């Protein structure tokens, strides 16, 4: 096989209480990429549609992630990459992660899968380092493993796949403003109090337990962020209203998707998730901000060939 076309899912990182450690892959929105082997060494981004992003290998997250893989491989040739972006950059649903993971996943397939999924996470994290200044793994891990993932440790890297309850649906609304991850990280404090930590890790444990046991009420009770959301939500117009309306419409919980400005909610069942979408849309219609909205099942498989 010399060429592969793939779907690279959007992802929700943090999931309220799990800053930089929890993430989940979505089904309803994602990019497409075509990756092919070439006899020329190195990586060339030959096509990029849908977003205005750099084509130079060293400035493109897919290029940088791909180079990280090549440096660790004895393959003598190279790759061409075409990227068809559907996920907007700076939307908070893992646009850079989709490109970084897609590149390394496809290259690994074309090379006969010499690398483990965990190794691919490490390569893709180099793309995140380029995009945000920090090599966080909470978007790239769920894109590669599928479903929910917990980054239990960064050093050494330890990623734990977590099961997705069958009836869990996500609603994601993207108000059409751009928030760069590097900017929304720069507003964060670097210290927290013990009292904040106790509340936060209680919720992380609760959320993981709820996902393992399909306990929807426990999932809902645990979707609380005492540390990041109070600071970042100020950057997102209408955030508190969207959250209030989503919960009123039956969502289990609601919070900032990744570094924002997208806002996500989880619901039990697709019908509720659609009702939540309608109530979220109304908030932005009333304040006159354009939006995209997605209702999605959890994507248990992650990146796939199409
Ligand atoms: N954990 C990262 C952050 C995710 O919140 O900055 C960025 O998508």
């Amino acid at each position: 096989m010399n060429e592969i076309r793939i779907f690279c899912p959007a992802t929700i990182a943090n999931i309220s209480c799990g800053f930089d450690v929890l993430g989940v892959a979505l089904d309803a929105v994602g990019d497409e990429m075509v990756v092919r082997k070439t006899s020329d060494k190195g990586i060339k981004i030959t096509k990029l549609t849908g977003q205005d992003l750099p084509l130079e290998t060293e400035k493109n997250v897919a290029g940088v992630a791909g180079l990280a893989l090549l440096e660790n491989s004895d393959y003598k040739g190279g790759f061409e990459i075409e990227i068809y972006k559907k996920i907007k950059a700076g939307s908070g649903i893992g646009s850079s992660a989709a490109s970084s993971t897609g590149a390394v996943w496809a290259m690994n397939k074309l090379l006969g899968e010499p690398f483990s999924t965990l190794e691919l996470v490490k390569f893709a994290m180099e793309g995140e380092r380029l995009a945000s200044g920090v090599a966080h793994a909470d978007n790239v891990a769920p894109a590669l493993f599928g479903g929910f993932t917990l980054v239990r440790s960064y050093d050494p890297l330890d990623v734990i796949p977590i099961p997705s309850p069958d009836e869990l649906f996500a609603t994601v609304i993207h108000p059409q403003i751009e928030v760069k991850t590097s900017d929304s990280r720069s507003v964060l404090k670097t210290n927290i109090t013990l009292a904040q930590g106790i509340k936060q890790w209680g919720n992380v444990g609760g959320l993981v337990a709820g996902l393992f046991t399909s306990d929807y009420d426990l999932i809902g009770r645990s979707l609380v962020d005492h540390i990041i959301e109070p600071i970042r939500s100020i950057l997102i117009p209408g955030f508190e209203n969207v959250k209030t309306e989503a919960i009123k419409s039956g969502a289990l919980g609601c919070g900032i998707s990744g570094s924002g400005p997208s806002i996500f909610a989880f619901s039990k069942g697709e019908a509720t998730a659609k009702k939540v979408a309608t109530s979220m849309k109304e908030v932005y219609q009333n304040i006159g901000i354009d939006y995209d909205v997605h209702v999605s099942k959890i994507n248990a498989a992650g990146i796939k060939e199409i």
Side-chain angles (χ1 to χ4, degrees):
M1 183 164 63
N2 281 319
E3 178 177 309
I4 189 168
R5 176 178 278 269
I6 58 170
F7 169 80
C8 317
T11 44
I12 299 170
N14 301 335
I15 318 185
S16 294
C17 49
F19 179 68
D20 273 2
V21 299
L22 285 172
V24 64
L26 300 176
D27 224 15
V29 53
D31 293 342
E32 285 183 24
M33 290 172 80
V34 174
V35 179
R36 74 179 66 84
K37 278 175 153 174
T38 57
S39 49
D40 292 346
K41 263 184 98 64
I43 292 181
K44 265 202 192 112
I45 316 287
T46 52
K47 198 167 175 187
L48 202 164
T49 66
Q51 291 288 288
D52 186 16
L53 293 165
L55 282 170
E56 297 99 302
T57 306
E58 287 79 11
K59 291 187 185 161
N60 183 291
V61 296
V64 167
L67 288 175
L69 181 148
L70 273 189
E71 273 164 29
N72 286 275
S73 160
D74 48 19
Y75 170 57
K76 298 282 177 273
F79 294 93
E80 279 178 6
I81 302 178
E82 297 173 9
I83 307 173
Y84 301 92
K85 294 296 295 174
K86 307 259 167 66
I87 312 171
K88 290 186 181 142
S91 58
I93 50 170
S95 180
S96 53
S99 301
S100 313
T101 55
V104 298
W105 190 89
M107 286 164 63
N108 191 44
K109 271 264 177 234
L110 294 174
L111 294 176
E113 303 193 52
F115 297 107
S116 70
T117 308
L118 192 67
E119 287 172 308
L120 297 183
V121 171
K122 283 188 197 158
F123 302 143
M125 284 166 71
E126 293 308 315
E128 295 295 65
R129 192 193 304 280
L130 176 69
S132 71
V134 178
H136 59 90
D138 48 340
N139 291 105
V140 295
L144 286 161
F145 279 93
F148 284 86
T149 53
L150 168 73
V151 183
R152 191 205 58 81
S153 156
Y154 274 89
D155 187 17
L157 187 66
D158 188 5
V159 175
I160 318 293
I162 298 170
S164 320
D166 289 344
E167 293 176 83
L168 197 65
F169 279 77
T171 309
V172 183
I173 190 152
H174 172 211
Q176 303 290 288
I177 52 167
E178 187 182 343
V179 175
K180 287 208 173 91
T181 299
S182 48
D183 292 340
S184 64
R185 291 187 83 92
S186 69
V187 298
L188 299 177
K189 295 185 184 136
T190 47
N191 292 305
I192 60 165
T193 64
L194 184 58
Q196 284 173 306
I198 291 167
K199 290 191 210 167
Q200 199 83 353
W201 54 66
N203 282 316
V204 174
L207 181 52
V208 171
L211 291 169
F212 265 95
T213 56
S214 295
D215 183 336
Y216 293 90
D217 288 337
L218 176 56
I219 292 169
R221 293 203 298 285
S222 307
L223 288 172
V224 185
D225 177 2
H226 293 282
I227 298 172
I228 310 294
E229 185 178 297
I231 301 171
R232 281 185 170 170
S233 56
I234 295 158
L235 304 172
I236 306 172
F239 176 80
E240 290 304 334
N241 281 349
V242 169
K243 185 167 173 168
T244 306
E245 294 306 317
I247 304 285
K248 264 201 227 158
S249 300
L252 301 166
C254 175
I256 302 171
S257 177
S259 55
S262 287
I263 302 170
F264 81 96
F266 284 155
S267 300
K268 184 178 180 188
E270 192 174 16
T272 307
K274 285 184 172 162
K275 237 172 100 183
V276 169
T278 304
S279 65
M280 287 173 148
K281 282 195 245 181
E282 276 167 14
V283 174
Y284 284 120
Q285 278 158 6
N286 289 339
I287 54 179
I289 294 180
D290 287 340
Y291 55 82
D292 283 337
V293 71
H294 309 283
V295 173
S296 179
K297 218 179 145 40
I298 305 307
N299 173 350
I303 299 173
K304 60 176 187 224
E305 192 176 351
I306 49 174

